[in-house]
Every structure is written in C-alpha cells, then in structure tokens.
Amino acid sequence: MPGVTLPTFTIDEVESHNSAKSCYVTVGKNVYDVTDFLDSHPGGADLVLDWAGKDIGAILKDEASHTHSEAAYEVLDESLVGFLESGNGASANGKAKGGENGKEEAWVHPRTGMSCEEDLSKDTDYNADYKTHKFLDLNKPLFMQIWNGGFSKDFYLDQVHRPRHYKGGESAPLFGNFLEPLSKTPWWLIPLVWWPPVSYGVYVAFQGFGSVAPVAGYFGFGLAFWTLIEYVLHRFLFHLDYYLPDNRVGITAHFLLHGIHHYLPMDRYRLVMPPTLFVVLAAPFWKFAHAVLFFNWFAATAAFCGGVFGYTLYDMTHYFLHHQNLPAYYKQLKKYHLAHHFLDYENGFGVTSAFWDKIFGTELVYNPKTN
C-alpha cells in the first residue's frame, strides 16, 4: 500500500531522533529520516544536526540562509518514513504548524502529490511539471514520449500515479495525428452502442423461454456477476502494476489501458472504455457464460446480456463519479472513488460499489477530517 502503511510519530518521538546516529526532520506532517544524508550535505552535517528533530519547512524556504535546490527536495522525497500523528497542534520544533498567514498547511500524500479530491481539478503547470519530474511533457503527444522515454517500471509507476490536470479537463494530445479522435470516447456512446444489442439479446432469450421470470432471473444473475468481474478487472488487469513487464511494450500497454486515466483522471473523453476495446474483453465472457450455463443457450444469453448491461452502468457511473453532482449515496461513492486517485491507488477497486473491496480486504479507508 502507499503512504497509509507508513507509521505515524508523535512530536516527542521525532524530537528523540536528534543525533548523527538517527536524524529525523519534518516538513508539515511529513517525517523524514535524513541520517544517511548528513555527510553529503554541502554545508556539513552540523548544519543539519542543528535542525534534528525539528520542522525544516521555514529554513528550506529561507533565502537569507541559502537557497535549496530541487535536489534537496528529491532527497526528502526518498527519505520519507512516516507522518506526524493527527491532532498534534505543533510542529516538531514546538511551533504551530502553518503556512502563510498562520494557516495550517494541507497534508500532501507523498506518492500522489495531492491532499484532497479538489486537487484533481487544479490545472498543471506543464513546463514546471516536466522540469521537476522529467516524465511527460503535456505540451506534446504522449504516446511517443511513453514509447521512446526509456522509463524504468518503478519510475513510470511512481509518475503515472501522480495525477495531472490538462486545460480544465480537456484531453491532452495522445497521438497528435489522425488517430487522435479514435482515442476519445464520450460517455453517451456507451448506452448508444450497447443497449440495443442487449435489448435484442433479452428479446431472443424471451423467445426461447416464453416467460419473463427465467429471463429476468438469468439477466439479474449476469448483472450481479458483473460486479465481481468489475472488481477483478480493475484490480488484476488495470492495476497489474507490480507484475508489469519492465520494458517499453508493457509500460506503453499499461498506459493506454489504464495508466492514462490515473495520469489525467479528469479527462472527460478518456474515461469510459472505447467500444472496440470492450468487444475484445467481452468476447471471452460470451464463451464463459455459455460454458457455465451450458445446459441452456438462452439462459447463457440472458446472463451475458445482464453482464453487458452491468458494464454499461459501471462505465456511466465511473464517468458521473468524476464529472457530475450526484445524490447523497453517490456523493459518498464519489468520495470513495476519487480517493482511489488522490490517496490510495492500491485499494478501493470497486467503482459501482465497495462490496467486493470489503470481501477481499481492499476497502479504502478515507476520513477527510483526518487525512
């Protein structure tokens, strides 16, 4: 898991790590172990030890002391060991934790660079982002940058799960040529394409049974079974992450399949699944439905149609969670899913429901009052 598995420290615990053998510092709520960096500090170890067990946020920004380079912040990123316990009213140097005007600084997740769902919709400074992270330049088509980037798997996974936002939710260039329109899918295309064949399949099944009850039963079975398929696909295919081949083919395929959605989660046109891709994924499930319900072709067809209908509800729900104002129940579901993007992308795989997350132990625990 990401940062939620890192330990929390009290201020007293941080302040006890104040020697060359164990040197901790904090910035806001983040706790860093900089022991290994002491001898490498350009100003000598003593300058760092003067701040051992304390908050260094102010000194990092103090130009009167000396300007800290981007490399200093990179060292900190690599040295994160945990967080100050929630409710600590002071920073590790005994002063109120605060940014400008004495206001409390927002907690920032170290692996996503975000603190709340609103951060997902803040426009990215493309030039500054590329200069800082050396990943993708949002001014240029993304596909060839991924293909030719020579990124290691670890670097790619770290960067692709740090969400960016492109021009108020527009689509960043992917191919930059005639293929560009084929990479975009509006949400309304999903019911438009799939509901007619689902309706026809249900009609065929009814013709075979001659009764509504068995068709409704098998359709409902397929609809319910889809919720498990949704969870399995999201967890084990879309988030293949750590089993991903460490080469350009694997990384590029991951980016096109799901990585781009975590990289640009508020992109309206790369959120639902293109019909051509769903055909590829649905074909094995047609065979699967008829293998399981081998005793009745019409039952298998009704169940398959229920599953496809479930998929359309999933894709539309996914879109609405990102882009619509929703009723009370869905507001909670919206918070749950968006936390999967800005807080903990290794949990919270259910989109239409958290049911299977609870069953399989991947429920995302998010309390906006304490995170």
Side-chain angles (χ1 to χ4, degrees):
M1 288 173 61
V4 291
T5 62
L6 292 176
T8 57
F9 299 90
T10 65
I11 291 174
D12 289 342
E13 287 174 327
V14 172
E15 291 178 342
S16 69
H17 293 268
N18 59 4
S19 69
K21 292 183 178 180
S22 181
C23 180
Y24 283 15
V25 295
T26 67
V27 177
K29 290 186 178 181
N30 293 354
V31 180
Y32 303 94
D33 180 355
V34 295
T35 309
D36 293 338
F37 177 65
L38 292 176
D39 293 333
S40 302
H41 188 262
D46 288 344
L47 284 178
V48 181
L49 289 172
D50 285 343
W51 289 87
K54 301 176 183 178
D55 190 291
I56 62 171
I59 194 66
L60 283 173
K61 300 175 183 177
D62 186 3
E63 295 184 3
S65 171
H66 71 277
T67 303
H68 286 83
S69 66
E70 292 179 6
Y73 291 93
E74 291 174 0
V75 168
L76 285 179
D77 287 342
E78 296 170 357
S79 305
L80 183 74
V81 292
F83 309 99
L84 283 176
E85 285 186 351
S86 297
N88 281 314
S91 66
N93 58 6
K95 299 179 181 178
K97 297 192 301 269
E100 296 180 2
N101 302 320
K103 294 182 179 179
E104 184 177 348
E105 291 182 353
W107 173 84
V108 176
H109 192 285
R111 302 238 334 245
T112 65
M114 298 196 162
S115 61
C116 61
E117 63 189 60
E118 288 76 16
D119 287 348
L120 295 170
S121 297
K122 293 180 180 177
D123 283 352
T124 298
D125 183 329
Y126 313 149
N127 295 326
D129 178 70
Y130 183 70
K131 180 180 179 182
T132 300
H133 297 288
K134 305 295 190 297
F135 183 47
L136 300 178
D137 184 349
L138 284 165
N139 292 299
K140 302 175 182 178
L142 303 177
F143 177 78
M144 292 309 295
Q145 292 185 71
I146 285 286
W147 182 255
N148 293 323
F151 306 124
S152 70
K153 180 178 75 171
D154 289 341
F155 176 78
Y156 163 77
L157 289 172
D158 173 71
Q159 288 299 317
V160 85
H161 289 112
R162 293 177 179 267
R164 277 75 163 182
H165 189 59
Y166 185 82
K167 292 184 179 178
E170 295 182 26
S171 296
L174 182 59
F175 296 107
N177 56 30
F178 68 94
L179 294 174
E180 197 70 25
L182 301 179
S183 71
K184 302 175 183 179
T185 307
W187 74 266
W188 48 261
L189 194 63
I190 302 305
L192 184 67
V193 168
W194 294 114
W195 283 1
V198 165
S199 300
Y200 178 72
V202 169
Y203 169 76
V204 170
F206 176 76
Q207 293 297 105
F209 280 110
S211 173
V212 171
V215 175
Y218 285 114
F219 185 91
F221 169 75
L223 181 61
F225 194 72
W226 161 259
T227 64
L228 177 59
I229 295 173
E230 169 196 318
Y231 175 86
V232 170
L233 286 177
H234 193 186
R235 180 177 179 182
F236 296 108
L237 178 61
F238 299 161
H239 282 272
L240 184 70
D241 296 11
Y242 296 106
Y243 299 99
L244 190 66
D246 194 357
N247 57 54
R248 67 163 66 180
V249 175
I251 288 172
T252 303
H254 181 277
F255 186 76
L256 294 176
L257 183 64
H258 195 62
I260 192 173
H261 175 55
H262 273 263
Y263 185 65
L264 296 163
M266 304 308 286
D267 184 333
R268 293 176 178 272
Y269 295 105
R270 297 197 179 105
L271 202 156
V272 300
M273 191 179 298
T276 49
L277 177 58
F278 183 68
V279 167
V280 174
L281 294 176
F285 289 109
W286 169 263
K287 296 289 186 180
F288 178 74
H290 284 268
V292 173
L293 301 173
F294 62 91
F295 52 86
N296 191 309
W297 188 91
F298 298 105
T301 299
F304 178 77
C305 289
V308 174
F309 184 69
Y311 151 71
T312 66
L313 297 182
Y314 150 78
D315 239 356
M316 291 190 295
T317 298
H318 191 196
Y319 179 88
F320 295 150
L321 293 180
H322 278 260
H323 294 292
Q324 297 294 324
N325 189 21
L326 300 167
Y329 164 74
Y330 284 101
K331 285 183 185 298
Q332 294 304 312
L333 194 61
K334 180 186 182 86
K335 289 182 179 296
Y336 184 80
H337 178 65
L338 294 185
H340 169 74
H341 283 279
F342 81 82
L343 177 66
D344 184 358
Y345 55 82
E346 292 183 334
N347 284 296
F349 299 106
V351 174
T352 55
S353 166
F355 175 77
W356 293 110
D357 281 317
K358 294 176 181 178
I359 296 297
F360 293 113
T362 55
E363 185 178 11
L364 194 159
V365 179
Y366 169 51
N367 184 348
K369 293 182 179 180
T370 59
N371 282 308

